Each structure stands twice: as structure tokens, then as C-alpha cells.
Amino acid sequence: MKKQLISIIAFVFAISVTAQENYKDISKADSVKTYIGKSFYQVKSFPQNFSSKTPKNVILMIGDGMGFSHVFAGMTANGGHLFLENFKYTGYAKTQSSDNYITDSAAGGTALASGHKTYNKAIGVNPDSIPVKTILEMAEEKGMSTGLVSTSAITHATPASFISHEAKRSYYEDIAGDFLKTDVDVFIGGGYKHFTQRKDGRNLVSELEKKGYTVLRDMNEISKVKSGKLAGLTAPEHNPRLSERKDMLPVAASTAVNILSNNKKGFFMMVEGSQIDWGGHQNNTIYLVEEMLDFDQTIGKMLEFASQNEETLIVITADHETGGFSINGGNISKGIVKGAFTTGGHTASMVPVFAYGPGAENFTGIMENTDIAKRIISLLGF
Ligand code: MG
Ligand code: ZN
């Protein structure tokens, strides 16, 4: 009887782990290793005139798992151009965590969110598990508006690192609880069930509503919100792949930026292309390229805003590279990318950094991932 109980517990635990982690299964099929271009989107050139020396607003965009080859795969797939080419200031970031040559997204996210290196799996805490203040929390203290947008669950490592302080990334329900401890203005991503189906019986959706949030699950409705506090929980857990979720990311990021820019004191927002990482984990070139192009089109939307606003700095980077991805063949005019992978996990490689807007010139050369956060913090005068 006791044995049975233990195996039931182990089984339930295994389900909850796989549900969150099944994006890590490697696909052995050769059919997914080559991306064949469909229609190319138009890449616009944006003006480089800014009205201030330092930014009032900062949009930090994280392509989870986005290495240099991922960028060039996207560029090839779109006939040779990406919105990323509007970024005149570029650099490299080292991604090592405090306890590992190869970081995970929790330590990588915490470094980008707070300027502190920490151990793999840590969310917003230092190597001694002591909470570290994040850019988002500093912005809140200054009366700025703040936002988080992600195609994964909003409780997943990358967005969680900006708002939560937990010893382990797998404490999803605790992470959801941490959203209630902040004054974050807008968050859009998956993870509905971590707010509602909880061991502690709390219903965080009604708690959010009591705090004045509009809580919505449908992207169409979310996209109509123009002001106030907004919690968009668009999937029970992670959002599906691009073919199913369509333009969720660019629409969510545009909706968030429009709401946040109502604040005269400025805003800080993090936007994540979460599933570039998952294409890498699955060794699936098609998945990876689709996600890369979705992220780049979202970058285009943010450039549209920033080029008109003239006081917004956009910084784009990755938390680490995923897949040891390389391009072994292809054709730019046809948008064909033949990918190859060295691992189903992350790698230690440096990742690209791109910056546009007032202060962008600070993000060049070779940096630590923590320097990105430190430079944003200093530019915002915190
Ligand atoms: Mg992520
Ligand atoms: Zn990963």
C-alpha cells in the first residue's frame, strides 16, 4: 500500500514536471532540420534621431536561447533581412552563471534582471538565496510603469526573474504569488493555472481583480485594453507554437507598450521570445526559425513605437545559446536554412547584444550579462 502511494506520488510529480518541460524532447526527425522560406515580410528602416541623451523608457527584449546562428538563420529565412538591422550598436555577452559554465534561463534571467550572477535554477536571488532587487522593482519604486510579456507561462524562469524571488524556478505557484506582492502594471503570457489551481487554495485571479487588475484570457480582448492594470493569462500553462498562437507576441507587446506609455514618468518592460529556446532544445530548425521570425517582427513593432517616441531605449539579447546550433547550408533568395545541432541543451557561447535609442552606445564590445542590467540601471538613474 505504501509502495503504491509512493509510486502514485512519483507519477503525479513526473506529470507535473513533464508538462512544464516537454519542450525539451529532442526530435530525431530529419524533416524538421531544414526550414524552407514561405513569404518574406518587409523590413523597414527606422530613423535614428532621439530627443534625449538618456532614456525615459526601456524595453528589454530577451530571445531565450538566441545565439548568433539563430539570428542569421532568421535573416536567411526572411530573404536576407531582419528588423534587427536597425540596431547600430551591437556587442557580445558572456552568460556563465555563478556555479556553472553553462547557465540555465533562471540564472541567466536573474543576471539580466538584477545585475547579479547566481546559481542555475535561482529566481531573483543571489548565490546565498537572498533576494536581489530587479530593474522592474527599482522602476516601480520610482513611480514608473512596468510590464512583462512572454510566450511561455508568465511564471516561467525568464519573466519570473524580473518579479519573483524564489530559491528554485520550479516553484511555479509561489512565483505566481509573488506577482501579487508587486505593483507590476501589465503582464501577458501563459500560466493561468498557477494562479487558479493551487495547493494553497488561493484564487489569485480574484485577488488580482481586487487589486484593480483587468484579468483576461483572450488575446482579442486583451488587445483592446488601453489603460489601467492588465493581467493577460493566455494559456493554462505555456502558449502553443506560432502556428496556433499566431501573432500573440507582437500584439501583446504592442498592447503593453501602449498602456505603459501613458505614464509621464516612463516605463520598463521586458518582452521575451521564449520558444526560440524550445526549437533549440528540440533540435528543430523549423520551430527555431519560426520563433526567431516572430521575435523579430515583435522587435519591428517596438521599433515603430520607439522611433516615434524618441525617448525609448531598446536592448535585445539572449540569456544563453541553445542547441549548439549551426547552419550547414541554405539559400538566402529562397529563404532556406539547413540547421545542425551539437546538443539538446544550452551551450556556454557568448550571445549577441543589440541596442537602439538614447544610451544605445553603452551596449557595445564584450560584456558580462550582468553588465547589461547594470548599464540599464545607471541610464535610468537608479
Ligand atoms: Mg524563457
Ligand atoms: Zn532552455
Side-chain angles (χ1 to χ4, degrees):
M1 188 63 210
K2 203 171 169 194
K3 249 190 190 160
Q4 258 178 332
L5 190 67
I6 289 170
S7 57
I8 289 169
I9 291 170
F11 179 68
V12 170
F13 182 73
I15 294 182
S16 63
V17 170
T18 16
Q20 283 288 341
E21 303 271 287
N22 55 8
Y23 60 80
K24 289 188 175 170
D25 296 340
I26 293 187
S27 165
K28 299 271 182 260
D30 277 338
S31 57
V32 300
K33 300 286 193 275
T34 302
Y35 176 92
I36 299 170
K38 292 156 207 149
S39 56
F40 303 152
Y41 56 82
Q42 200 64 39
V43 169
K44 232 178 100 182
S45 248
F46 289 92
Q48 306 273 338
N49 311 317
F50 310 112
S51 62
S52 55
K53 282 234 155 56
T54 55
K56 187 171 101 174
N57 315 308
V58 175
I59 303 173
L60 175 61
M61 302 183 72
I62 301 176
D64 197 315
M66 181 185 72
F68 290 90
S69 293
H70 299 65
V71 173
F72 194 65
M75 206 173 276
T76 302
N78 194 44
H81 293 287
L82 289 180
F83 281 108
L84 271 172
E85 285 164 84
N86 281 282
F87 290 70
K88 303 297 178 207
Y89 295 95
T90 57
Y92 298 71
K94 299 180 198 173
T95 65
Q96 282 61 48
S97 68
S98 74
D99 72 336
N100 213 303
Y101 184 55
I102 298 177
T103 189
D104 77 332
S105 293
T110 301
L112 294 170
S114 71
H116 292 270
K117 294 261 186 191
T118 189
Y119 59 92
N120 285 9
K121 296 193 163 55
I123 300 287
V125 297
N126 72 11
D128 301 317
S129 298
I130 312 284
V132 288
K133 202 173 275 184
T134 69
I135 306 172
L136 186 144
E137 291 165 330
M138 294 175 200
E140 282 296 332
E141 278 177 11
K142 296 283 178 185
M144 294 168 74
S145 288
T146 59
L148 293 173
V149 175
S150 173
T151 53
S152 64
I154 203 72
T155 45
H156 208 233
T158 313
S161 298
F162 286 80
I163 199 161
S164 175
H165 306 280
E166 298 292 344
K168 280 202 182 127
R169 58 183 290 172
S170 54
Y171 299 164
Y172 294 111
E173 294 178 11
D174 298 316
I175 291 168
D178 285 349
F179 277 76
L180 274 294
K181 296 179 188 160
T182 74
D183 268 323
V184 63
D185 295 275
V186 178
F187 57 96
I188 307 172
Y192 184 79
K193 76 170 207 191
H194 301 137
F195 290 79
T196 51
Q197 292 165 41
R198 299 169 53 83
K199 281 186 218 83
D200 63 9
R202 280 170 71 187
N203 182 336
L204 300 187
V205 164
S206 26
E207 290 185 34
L208 282 166
E209 284 167 346
K210 265 184 218 130
K211 274 190 86 174
Y213 286 85
T214 303
V215 184
L216 297 169
R217 301 179 69 176
D218 176 69
M219 260 324 291
N220 261 331
E221 287 182 33
I222 290 168
S223 69
K224 289 177 194 143
V225 180
K226 301 269 181 269
S227 61
K229 283 181 168 304
L230 170 65
L233 294 166
T234 51
E237 214 164 285
H238 301 307
N239 287 288
R241 264 179 82 161
L242 184 72
S243 50
E244 246 183 276
R245 72 166 194 270
K246 313 276 185 220
D247 58 359
M248 176 260 164
L249 185 63
V251 172
S254 301
T255 304
V257 99
N258 286 334
I259 299 173
L260 298 176
S261 59
N262 291 330
N263 187 338
K264 294 262 180 302
K265 290 182 177 164
F267 68 85
F268 171 78
M269 170 166 84
M270 192 288 295
V271 178
E272 185 198 18
S274 320
Q275 300 189 26
I276 300 167
D277 177 62
W278 303 358
H281 279 296
Q282 294 183 15
N283 287 187
N284 183 332
T285 307
I286 297 173
Y287 194 164
L288 178 162
V289 166
E290 284 173 358
E291 293 296 333
M292 188 62 225
L293 296 178
D294 180 55
F295 188 54
D296 185 64
Q297 285 170 280
T298 309
I299 292 166
K301 295 284 177 205
M302 297 301 96
L303 281 166
E304 234 163 70
F305 170 83
S307 63
Q308 281 169 22
N309 171 272
E310 296 186 8
E311 294 181 295
T312 301
L313 169 67
I314 307 177
V315 180
I316 302 175
T317 190
D319 46 359
H320 52 72
E321 194 274 349
T322 306
F325 178 60
S326 64
I327 304 168
N328 288 3
N331 181 314
I332 291 178
S333 62
K334 293 185 179 142
I336 296 173
V337 179
K338 264 183 87 174
F341 298 84
T342 63
T343 174
H346 302 166
T347 69
S349 301
M350 291 196 283
V351 292
V353 181
F354 305 90
Y356 171 98
E361 66 281 2
N362 292 282
F363 299 85
T364 61
I366 296 177
M367 294 160 259
E368 283 291 344
N369 51 5
T370 45
D371 292 330
I372 296 171
K374 286 175 188 166
R375 289 172 198 182
I376 293 173
I377 288 167
S378 127
L379 282 167
L380 286 172
F382 298 163

